[in-house]
Amino acid sequence: MKNHGIAVHGGAGTILKSAMTPQKEKDYMDAIEDALVTGDKILSLGGTSLDAVEAAVKYMEDFPLFNAGRGSVFTHDGKHEMDACIMNGKDLTAGSIAGVKNIRNPIQLARAVMEKSEHVFLANSGAVAFAKEQNIPIEPDEYFFTQQRYDQYKAAKNTDQIVLDHTPVSVIEGKKFGTVGAVALDQNGNIAAATSTGGMTNKRWGRIGDSPIVGAGTYANNKTCGISCTGYGEFFIRAVVAYDISCLMEYKNLSLKQACDFVVQNKLVKMGGEGGLIAIDFNGNIEMPFNSEGMYRGMKKSNTPLYIDIYKD
Amino acid sequence: MKNHGIAVHGGAGTILKSAMTPQKEKDYMDAIEDALVTGDKILSLGGTSLDAVEAAVKYMEDFPLFNAGRGSVFTHDGKHEMDACIMNGKDLTAGSIAGVKNIRNPIQLARAVMEKSEHVFLANSGAVAFAKEQNIPIEPDEYFFTQQRYDQYKAAKNTDQIVLDHTPVSVIEGKKFGTVGAVALDQNGNIAAATSTGGMTNKRWGRIGDSPIVGAGTYANNKTCGISCTGYGEFFIRAVVAYDISCLMEYKNLSLKQACDFVVQNKLVKMGGEGGLIAIDFNGNIEMPFNSEGMYRGMKKSNTPLYIDIYKD
């Protein structure tokens, strides 16, 4: 039986211990742990990495503290527009959605796009129409209302700022790139990756970030690795971050760690691209590099205990 | 003074000489030539590759025979939804739009996203709102009406097929992936790439193809190459085609020709991904590989005469 493993993230950014309350810290750590346990249980029982990453991301989408699903930030129009992507490293199939409203679990819709449509990427009202055909759960606007996000939105709108999940009205959060994601390797050696996000507070113009873009924010390939990113999406798109790591492994024979370090700590830093990612390779090695102050993250390998952290070393 | 060069394409697919009239063939060849001459003039005068690819693509967007801009196919709802992307190999900046209606020249809007917004990728009505702020020309629905596309749409809708620019009511076109694109190297050694498409006839659900996705349908990097793809977009997204070619050059030291051949004739063929691409490298080498029956294509290097073709060899 091969090693299996899972890693999850809940966003990266300026997350300072000095600005966090013990309760808030515990809430985040508990949520990361629960997402990991949810995915690990599937893997331990011989389930697929695809099921594990979907379940872990779904858990985080349902948890209001993360900027994805229920906890998604408000757009400029006071709505919630969500993006997500899931990819199967076994056959390189993928499903992406962007700009969808009222979908309870965007990652579930992304998986339906992958498995039930002939397309890879569906957007906006068209994607929601597809969701309805597929009986994907829809929720009213109220479901996505959280006071914290609304306060962020009002503050951002008043100053006409487009902010990346920044919390100007609160001391407990700094600049934070709100996204959730999971990567996993199952007992059959199959890798999967999933990413889901509510985007940026006060965003306009139907902005799409890196999360739903295969190769940018999300990628999985059994030959190399599975990647889910979180950060300043525009830079991650331009640097094709997730596929870059895969190519550095496949074409330049770098290890997962070497590839991750080079892209996150060198290339992205030079461009000015703040953020991080989680990565798992075909041997079950896991890396969780970031160049920001912190990243909500955790991992569970079949042969090691749970590891969960928020800050730098 | 360094070599400069430009290549353009007007889509790939089942384009059979036996099914083409001499007049139609001439119309396509003339349009390819005019697009090339438009771009080449800019490059010869010392202009930027960015200006050259934008001008060449704009020319093809205005020409009703290509599935982009004015000649875009009809969606399921009888509308025209267009996607485009432009990328600057000098600094890896990029601009993408998806699902935009009534924009005369989508490539012009993509460039405005790149240069005038803080984002890379805007979609749907949000992207059109941005276009209006930027005074990008808007046209009424009638501008995008062409009888040929309407006949395709009615035929597709009657059979409930989603077709990739297929023309079931006409003998002159077979399965054709309608996209236009240009890549160029200017006298300063800067590479640019641009792609624009009207997508698939009778498309639904806000489907986004590879054209607007940095790394999939479009990519440019002065260190390696500029790429614009045309084909079955879902496969090009999953294979991250454009960035793959760049990575094979950068990380595996393949030549442009070796990288293009491997991806188009080997990887894509194995996946079932029909189509082709145009590519230019930092030395001005140009490749235009495709694995379909034909591809409307042409190139002009500073030191060679015009080359224009539609069919294989």
Side-chain angles (χ1 to χ4, degrees):
Chain A
M1 200 172 71
K2 288 186 68 169
N3 285 340
H4 60 267
I6 183 165
V8 303
H9 71 76
T14 309
I15 308 166
L16 299 172
K17 195 171 175 64
S18 57
M20 186 79 90
T21 64
Q23 183 58 46
K24 202 94 181 177
E25 199 173 83
K26 185 176 181 308
D27 290 345
Y28 277 114
M29 303 278 276
D30 287 351
I32 293 283
E33 177 172 338
D34 290 344
L36 279 175
V37 168
T38 302
D40 179 63
K41 195 179 290 178
I42 292 169
L43 297 171
S44 298
L45 293 171
T48 67
S49 52
L50 212 51
D51 285 341
V53 295
E54 184 190 357
V57 167
K58 245 174 149 170
Y59 185 89
M60 291 188 282
E61 285 176 341
D62 292 341
F63 185 78
L65 278 185
F66 295 120
N67 175 18
R70 180 160 213 170
S72 293
V73 299
F74 285 82
T75 66
H76 186 72
D77 300 327
K79 302 285 184 185
H80 305 275
E81 289 180 3
M82 300 167 284
D83 306 338
C85 177
I86 192 165
M87 187 159 182
N88 186 352
K90 185 181 178 183
D91 57 9
L92 304 183
T93 52
S96 296
I97 49 154
V100 300
K101 291 175 186 149
N102 302 103
I103 302 296
R104 184 185 180 102
N105 290 111
I107 202 65
Q108 187 185 3
L109 177 54
R111 185 159 178 182
V113 171
M114 176 171 78
E115 294 179 342
K116 307 281 176 60
S117 85
E118 56 191 306
H119 302 304
V120 169
F121 200 169
L122 304 183
N124 296 66
S125 56
V128 176
F130 175 75
K132 286 175 182 165
E133 270 195 21
Q134 296 292 324
N135 295 314
I136 302 286
I138 309 277
E139 299 287 347
D141 288 349
E142 300 79 68
Y143 173 82
F144 301 92
F145 182 91
T146 57
Q147 192 63 46
Q148 180 196 6
R149 299 298 185 207
Y150 188 72
D151 293 341
Q152 286 176 358
Y153 163 62
K154 294 301 277 187
K157 200 157 179 175
N158 286 340
T159 58
D160 202 27
Q161 278 183 300
I162 297 165
V163 287
L164 292 147
D165 196 15
H166 187 282
T167 315
V169 291
S170 163
V171 290
I172 58 128
E173 287 188 75
K175 186 172 61 175
K176 192 166 81 64
F177 305 102
T179 309
V180 305
V183 295
L185 170 73
D186 63 31
Q187 295 180 24
N188 289 313
N190 292 318
I191 294 173
T195 312
S196 180
T197 184
M200 308 184 319
T201 298
N202 200 27
K203 77 174 170 185
R204 294 175 70 180
W205 301 323
R207 179 254 187 187
I208 297 176
D210 64 312
S211 303
I213 299 183
V214 170
T218 311
Y219 187 72
N221 187 335
N222 280 4
K223 282 163 74 176
T224 52
C225 59
I227 307 278
S228 171
C229 300
T230 168
Y232 201 129
E234 278 69 12
F235 292 93
F236 283 67
I237 293 175
R238 291 166 48 205
V240 202
V241 166
Y243 191 56
D244 200 30
I245 290 172
S246 176
C247 287
L248 284 164
M249 293 179 69
E250 186 174 359
Y251 302 145
K252 224 180 170 178
N253 294 316
L254 296 199
S255 69
L256 181 73
K257 181 172 177 14
Q258 289 170 327
C260 285
D261 284 350
F262 179 63
V263 173
V264 176
Q265 311 299 358
N266 185 325
K267 273 177 120 166
L268 276 173
V269 169
K270 277 183 189 159
M271 290 175 84
E274 191 182 343
L277 56 85
I278 52 173
I280 193 164
D281 72 10
F282 51 86
N283 282 322
N285 295 307
I286 292 175
E287 295 294 330
M288 302 192 288
F290 55 96
N291 60 37
S292 48
E293 289 292 333
M295 181 167 80
Y296 299 107
R297 64 196 187 277
M299 62 174 179
K300 173 73 184 82
K301 300 183 188 182
S302 44
N303 52 1
T304 62
L306 276 171
Y307 169 85
I308 297 164
D309 207 350
I310 299 177
Y311 315 103
K312 277 189 186 160
D313 305 321
Chain B
M1 201 172 71
K2 288 185 69 169
N3 285 341
H4 59 267
I6 183 166
V8 303
H9 72 76
T14 309
I15 308 166
L16 298 171
K17 194 170 175 63
S18 58
M20 186 78 91
T21 64
Q23 183 58 49
K24 202 96 181 175
E25 198 173 84
K26 186 177 181 308
D27 290 346
Y28 277 114
M29 304 277 277
D30 286 353
I32 293 283
E33 177 170 339
D34 290 345
L36 279 175
V37 168
T38 301
D40 178 62
K41 195 179 290 177
I42 292 168
L43 297 172
S44 298
L45 293 171
T48 67
S49 53
L50 211 52
D51 285 342
V53 297
E54 184 189 0
V57 166
K58 243 174 152 172
Y59 185 89
M60 291 188 282
E61 285 177 340
D62 291 341
F63 185 77
L65 279 184
F66 295 119
N67 176 17
R70 180 160 213 170
S72 292
V73 298
F74 286 82
T75 65
H76 187 73
D77 300 327
K79 301 286 183 184
H80 305 276
E81 289 180 3
M82 300 168 284
D83 305 338
C85 177
I86 192 165
M87 187 158 182
N88 186 353
K90 186 181 177 183
D91 57 8
L92 304 183
T93 52
S96 296
I97 49 153
V100 299
K101 292 177 185 147
N102 302 103
I103 302 296
R104 184 187 181 102
N105 291 109
I107 202 66
Q108 188 185 1
L109 177 54
R111 185 160 179 182
V113 171
M114 175 171 79
E115 294 178 343
K116 307 280 176 59
S117 85
E118 56 192 306
H119 302 305
V120 169
F121 199 169
L122 304 183
N124 296 66
S125 57
V128 175
F130 175 74
K132 286 175 181 165
E133 269 195 21
Q134 296 292 324
N135 295 312
I136 302 286
I138 308 278
E139 299 288 348
D141 288 349
E142 300 78 68
Y143 173 83
F144 300 92
F145 181 92
T146 58
Q147 192 63 47
Q148 181 196 4
R149 298 298 185 208
Y150 188 71
D151 293 342
Q152 286 175 357
Y153 163 62
K154 294 301 277 187
K157 199 156 181 180
N158 286 339
T159 58
D160 201 28
Q161 279 182 298
I162 297 166
V163 288
L164 292 148
D165 198 15
H166 187 282
T167 316
V169 290
S170 163
V171 289
I172 59 127
E173 288 189 74
K175 185 171 62 175
K176 194 167 80 62
F177 305 102
T179 309
V180 305
V183 295
L185 170 73
D186 64 31
Q187 295 179 25
N188 290 314
N190 291 319
I191 294 173
T195 312
S196 180
T197 184
M200 309 184 319
T201 297
N202 200 29
K203 77 173 170 185
R204 295 174 71 179
W205 301 322
R207 179 254 187 187
I208 297 177
D210 64 312
S211 303
I213 299 182
V214 170
T218 310
Y219 187 73
N221 187 335
N222 280 4
K223 282 164 74 176
T224 53
C225 59
I227 308 277
S228 171
C229 301
T230 168
Y232 202 130
E234 277 70 11
F235 292 94
F236 283 66
I237 293 175
R238 290 167 48 204
V240 202
V241 166
Y243 191 56
D244 200 31
I245 291 172
S246 177
C247 287
L248 284 163
M249 293 178 69
E250 186 174 359
Y251 302 144
K252 224 180 170 180
N253 293 316
L254 296 197
S255 69
L256 182 71
K257 182 173 177 11
Q258 289 170 326
C260 285
D261 284 351
F262 178 65
V263 172
V264 176
Q265 311 300 356
N266 185 324
K267 273 179 121 165
L268 276 173
V269 169
K270 277 184 190 159
M271 290 175 84
E274 192 182 343
L277 56 85
I278 53 172
I280 192 164
D281 73 10
F282 50 86
N283 282 321
N285 295 307
I286 291 175
E287 296 294 330
M288 303 191 288
F290 55 97
N291 60 37
S292 49
E293 289 292 333
M295 180 167 81
Y296 299 107
R297 65 197 186 277
M299 62 174 179
K300 174 73 184 79
K301 300 184 191 182
S302 43
N303 52 1
T304 63
L306 275 172
Y307 169 86
I308 298 163
D309 206 350
I310 299 176
Y311 314 105
K312 277 189 185 160
D313 306 325

